[in-house]
Amino acid sequence: MPPRCGPDGRDFGDVVIAGPGEPLDFVAGSLVLAVGARGPEAAAMVAAAGAAGAAAVAVRVTGARLPAPVRAAAEVARVAVLGVPAGLRWDRVEAEARAMVACGAEPGPDRGGDLFSLAHTVAALTHGVVSIEDAAHRVVAYAGSGEEADELRRLSILGRSCPEPYLALLRRLGVHRRVRESDEVVPVAEQPEMGARRRLVIGINAGRRPLGTIWVQEGGRPLAERAPQMLRGAARLAAAQLVDHYFQGDARARLASREELSHALLTGRFDAAALAAHLGIDPDAAADVVAVDLREPPGDIARADAGRAEAAGIMSVHAAAHRANALVVHACGQLYAILPAPAAEPAADPAEPLLRWAGDLVATLRRLTGTAVQAVLAGRADRLADIPDVKRRGHQALRLLARTPEVPVATHTRLAPALLVRDTLDLLAAAPRARFPAVAALVAHDREHGTDLARSLLLYLDAFGDVGAAARRLTVHPNTLRYRVRRAVALTGLDLDDPEHRLAAALQLRLDLAAPDRAAAAFPRG
């Protein structure tokens, strides 16, 4: 519990952000967030807010107790004071407080934070300072480095709305009209006289109804090259959340329900047609499925869950920018993007554009997570009901792709031969009578005598008889490999000119040389 003092049980009707020295004649009955007030300034703001009729004041604290001057000012002004710990962001405090105002409930760990989470994701992807505004130009969420925020941004956050001179400029430039009428990303040039750096803005619209805007201000470095695409995806995701903002819906409940329905669609737990109606997707539409594994090292489960949640937010913005009605689902420790195919898209192989999209996504996730993220284009489901089968292909392909961590993206089509071999080995393992006894005896001979004939023979077969290539993988002289192959043939009676002998030997060797994780060990690498 944060440190607090003053009268308890006093409700507040609004949340006001104020800085030291600002007038407080509009804070009656409100919770005042004293942003930037430390030491004597904090005590002065508590006294002034109490005199102005504020219900409570939140100030930053560095220890376990409120400073004595702040407590003394609170007792004189008879105002409640809440201490905000150093690790808690002001935007989070504001989100929790506004959730209490809107819903009359105790704040939970995620209440009111969905738009803020989206803003933080956009800030990370664009390298900018982000604000999300409603249709009345009121700031409802923001994110990004406060040190990089310009004067216009600071005034917008503290005043909860964009200053009128800048709004007048936007009207003259036709910016509002352009963002209301399309999904165009509109650039707004730097305005030094207004303390405004370069910006990008996109409208958040529900059909022809404008709901708000997302702004990205250029900070200490140029905006990311793909910032416009990321803004388009974010605008699609923000639309439903702003509907909740206007009508005081429970965004957490709606998003949780959508995630549950999306998970059911991915795993086939419920009827696809009924789920599609709830999700706003044509049940007969085709959909591409992309599977992603963060490749996080084993460890703290809570940390892994937090990492997946952050990655899912990033992936959702990317997916929404690429396809309308895209869904991102967490299942089996992996993330899956369900990308409904546009009705006008031809039935041609969609691998090329999807490969580019998946490559951009993996590069972004690798940069932000620091792990060797990998993705697989699992394939296209001709109908939504076929998605679970495609998902299973993606899951299996990701397991196989783990043997080549340097490969960021692959397609199921490319991995299909290796998956076929793996499935064949699984069938052979379950049928002990289907064996090549001579090759099994060769493996036993190696174990007994400490030789390496079986593995040498397998790599020779894998290299299609190329002695030089197989010898390099074994790091032996080619003559050594030739001797080993001749010795293996003599012990087993193999006829290397017979294709069935070669195929049977390769399968048996993979089966007998495999480690417990056959998906990786059945495909030896140098």
Side-chain angles (χ1 to χ4, degrees), residues 291-299 304 307-308 311 332-336 362 365-366 369-376 394-410 415 517 519-520:
V292 174
D293 197 311
L294 300 182
R295 304 301 188 204
E296 297 165 308
R308 276 193 293 269
C332 305
Q334 296 159 343
L335 295 171
Y336 294 85
V362 169
L365 289 175
R366 285 188 170 193
T369 66
T371 60
V373 181
Q374 291 180 297
V376 167
H395 178 73
Q396 294 165 353
L398 278 174
R399 286 187 58 206
L400 194 64
L401 192 60
R403 68 189 175 100
T404 53
E406 71 278 6
V407 177
V409 182
L415 297 172
D517 185 3

Side-chain angles (χ1 to χ4, degrees), residues 121-401:
T121 298
V122 175
L125 293 174
T126 62
H127 307 160
V129 183
V130 177
S131 296
I132 301 178
E133 299 181 3
D134 62 18
H137 312 299
R138 292 186 296 260
V139 177
V140 295
Y142 49 89
S145 171
E147 296 178 356
E148 297 182 4
D150 59 18
E151 180 65 11
L152 177 66
R153 152 86 173 198
R154 191 186 72 82
L155 293 174
S156 296
I157 297 301
L158 292 178
R160 302 303 300 161
S161 64
C162 185
E164 180 56 35
Y166 195 72
L167 289 176
L169 171 67
L170 298 178
R171 286 193 289 269
R172 288 198 304 272
L173 296 175
V175 172
H176 290 148
R177 174 183 54 78
R178 292 168 66 185
V179 299
R180 284 197 304 267
E181 294 177 353
S182 71
D183 62 353
E184 177 185 7
V185 177
V186 179
V188 181
E190 182 180 15
Q191 305 293 329
E193 70 282 1
M194 293 186 179
R197 296 178 184 170
R198 173 177 173 261
R199 281 164 163 72
L200 298 178
V201 58
I202 189 170
I204 306 170
N205 303 313
R208 300 184 63 180
R209 177 173 183 174
L211 299 174
T213 49
I214 303 179
W215 293 82
V216 177
Q217 172 221 303
E218 193 168 67
R221 54 177 169 164
L223 296 177
E225 182 179 350
R226 291 179 54 81
Q229 291 93 319
M230 297 303 98
L231 274 177
R232 290 190 186 95
R236 289 172 176 173
L237 295 174
Q241 298 182 41
L242 273 180
V243 169
D244 289 319
H245 166 74
Y246 282 114
F247 297 104
Q248 296 188 358
D250 189 343
R252 289 191 311 158
R254 180 189 51 74
L255 289 177
S257 173
R258 186 173 177 84
E259 290 170 2
E260 178 67 18
L261 292 174
S262 301
H263 188 277
L265 179 62
L266 182 75
T267 57
R269 288 190 290 120
F270 297 127
D271 177 70
L275 291 171
H278 283 286
L279 294 169
I281 305 172
D282 181 359
D284 294 324
D288 296 306
V289 178
V290 179
V292 174
D293 197 311
L294 300 182
R295 304 301 188 204
E296 297 165 308
D300 187 349
I301 295 177
R303 179 178 177 181
D305 287 343
R308 276 193 293 269
E310 181 181 8
I314 294 167
M315 192 168 165
S316 294
V317 173
H318 273 260
H322 186 65
R323 298 266 181 90
N325 292 323
L327 303 171
V328 172
V329 190
H330 171 219
C332 305
Q334 296 159 343
L335 295 171
Y336 294 85
I338 301 173
L339 306 169
E345 182 174 293
D349 185 5
E352 276 309 313
L354 266 185
L355 273 174
R356 290 194 297 271
W357 175 81
D360 289 339
L361 172 65
V362 169
T364 299
L365 289 175
R366 285 188 170 193
R367 173 173 57 85
L368 295 178
T369 66
T371 60
V373 181
Q374 291 180 297
V376 167
L377 274 59
R380 173 167 287 190
D382 293 330
R383 300 173 304 120
L384 296 189
D386 298 330
I387 285 176
D389 291 335
V390 180
K391 178 263 178 188
R392 279 189 286 272
R393 294 206 311 245
H395 178 73
Q396 294 165 353
L398 278 174
R399 286 187 58 206
L400 194 64
L401 192 60

Side-chain angles (χ1 to χ4, degrees), residues 35-127:
V35 178
R38 299 291 181 93
E41 290 180 334
M45 283 199 69
V46 168
V57 184
V59 299
R60 181 73 74 188
V61 295
T62 55
R65 292 174 56 83
L66 289 168
V70 170
R71 293 201 308 272
E75 290 174 2
V76 172
R78 296 190 54 79
V79 64
V81 178
L82 176 69
V84 178
L88 185 61
R89 295 174 59 97
W90 280 110
D91 55 7
R92 197 62 176 168
V93 175
E94 183 195 12
E96 298 286 359
R98 290 192 179 279
M100 294 176 67
V101 173
C103 303
E106 287 299 320
D110 295 316
R111 180 172 293 278
D114 298 305
L115 283 170
F116 277 90
S117 297
L118 179 61
H120 282 294
T121 298
V122 175
L125 293 174
T126 62
H127 307 160

